[in-house]
Amino acid sequence: LVPVGELPRILGHEFSGEVAGIGPGVSGYEEGDRVVADINIGCGRCVYCHRGQHLRCDGLRQIGVHVDGAFAEFVRVPVQALRRIPAAMSFEAAALTEPLACALHGEEQVGLQPGEVVVVLGCGPMGLLHCMLSRLRGAACVISCEPNEFRRDFSLRVGADCAVGAGADVIRDAVLDRTDGQGADVVIEAVGSAPTYRTAIALARPGGRVLFFGAAAPNDEIPLHPFDVYRRELTMVGSYAGSYGSWDQAIALLSAGRIPATDLVTSVRPLEELEASIEAIATRPDAMKIQIAVA
Ligand SMILES: [Zn+2]
């Protein structure tokens, strides 16, 4: 499975909007219905799709990644991907359904339990959603790790109990300090780099679990001591995207205000400023998420 689709491609995989038109043979929706769409579309014919596990489908296509997405006046989606959103839910909040669904699926994969100590590596929007969600799921302590001071402080406002700067040694000392020298129950890697994956494995306590959440490059490699995994009885689990029931969970949590995800929205700009917005996200240390409003 290729990590990204072929170019050129219209990006935009976190979106909400109104139904503007309906294809032939489609029923159950009307123009003006307020919706989001699960971006993950399986082939529908393989063993994984038949099992309801289309994230594992070799032919999986994601809207905004492998097929054209929502940085446009209109986006075309299959009807089975649609989810209605409550009347009182803002489009801004609804557009955060996709990233929150990813975080929900990841924390389900790693089986986060109440009372556990959770380390979140990386405080980009995804790491911050994991801070929010870990707290909501009853983590006893959430430790965030992030070199960018703005993002580190942000994590403390949205669910982290303590925030640590960069450096594997600094992070290890901080985690051991807060866990009687044991390490974390759960470590969530939300960076996607080989060095932080190594750090994540090192931070888990005996019997601990590591969530491989950040998108590493396909050819990245890390050294691993099999004896260490064996001796410490570690669990390492991957999470590729959010789908299935996690979309409905995300809509429910966002519309109920249980997850303050709209705090992540730095600004809302028109489609004409898309390129400048992407530039700003890449270069401004205090930019988190810029939403694009299509009039
Ligand atoms: Zn399939």
Side-chain angles (χ1 to χ4, degrees):
L1 187 65
V2 290
V4 293
E6 290 171 7
L7 302 176
R9 178 68 60 219
I10 299 172
L11 302 176
H13 66 276
E14 303 179 6
F15 58 92
S16 58
E18 288 180 359
V19 174
I22 296 167
V26 172
S27 60
Y29 287 89
E30 292 176 9
E31 285 183 23
D33 283 350
R34 304 170 80 250
V35 294
V36 291
D38 184 341
I39 63 161
N40 302 283
I41 301 158
C43 75
R45 295 181 298 273
C46 72
V47 63
Y48 299 107
C49 286
H50 290 161
R51 289 177 187 169
Q53 301 172 344
H54 56 252
L55 290 181
R56 297 169 186 172
C57 169
D58 194 41
L60 184 77
R61 290 289 173 269
Q62 295 177 311
I63 299 165
V65 181
H66 308 100
V67 296
D68 284 343
F71 287 144
E73 288 84 355
F74 302 98
V75 57
R76 187 174 56 177
V77 305
V79 66
Q80 65 270 25
L82 287 178
R83 302 283 195 283
R84 290 180 204 281
I85 59 171
M89 188 180 196
S90 70
F91 284 128
E92 287 80 4
L96 296 162
T97 303
E98 195 278 336
L100 182 58
C102 290
L104 281 158
H105 180 67
E107 294 198 11
E108 190 174 302
Q109 287 281 95
V110 78
L112 181 56
Q113 299 297 315
E116 293 194 308
V117 174
V118 180
V119 171
V120 178
L121 294 179
C123 294
M126 295 314 308
L128 292 172
L129 285 173
H130 276 299
C131 290
M132 297 176 189
L133 194 57
S134 298
R135 170 65 75 94
L136 190 71
R137 292 176 71 109
C141 180
V142 178
I143 304 168
S144 65
C145 308
E146 163 65 48
N148 173 321
E149 188 180 0
F150 174 82
R151 292 182 169 202
R152 202 160 60 234
D153 290 346
F154 206 117
S155 74
L156 292 171
R157 294 200 300 275
V158 298
D161 296 285
C162 68
V164 190
D169 292 347
V170 175
I171 294 169
R172 192 194 61 228
D173 289 350
V175 171
L176 292 179
D177 221 40
R178 285 163 179 79
T179 56
D180 289 333
Q182 292 300 301
D185 296 292
V186 171
V187 184
I188 298 174
E189 204 282 357
V191 179
S193 80
T196 38
Y197 269 109
R198 286 189 73 182
T199 301
I201 294 166
L203 293 175
R205 67 181 297 155
R209 288 107 65 208
V210 181
L211 178 62
F212 282 37
F213 187 87
N219 295 325
D220 279 355
E221 294 180 353
I222 55 171
L224 183 73
H225 300 292
F227 179 84
D228 176 46
V229 178
Y230 152 85
R231 178 65 189 90
R232 292 198 286 143
E233 298 196 324
L234 299 181
T235 299
M236 289 177 259
V237 61
S239 178
Y240 175 60
S243 198
Y244 322 128
S246 63
W247 276 72
D248 306 278
Q249 292 172 335
I251 292 168
L253 290 172
L254 288 166
S255 63
R258 292 286 195 208
I259 293 277
T262 47
D263 289 358
L264 299 175
V265 179
T266 307
S267 60
V268 181
R269 296 187 182 181
L271 185 58
E272 294 72 37
E273 294 179 22
L274 174 62
E275 219 171 306
S277 303
I278 291 172
E279 180 79 20
I281 285 293
T283 56
R284 268 179 47 189
D286 62 339
M288 199 59 76
K289 260 190 187 302
I290 297 175
Q291 290 190 334
I292 300 298
V294 179

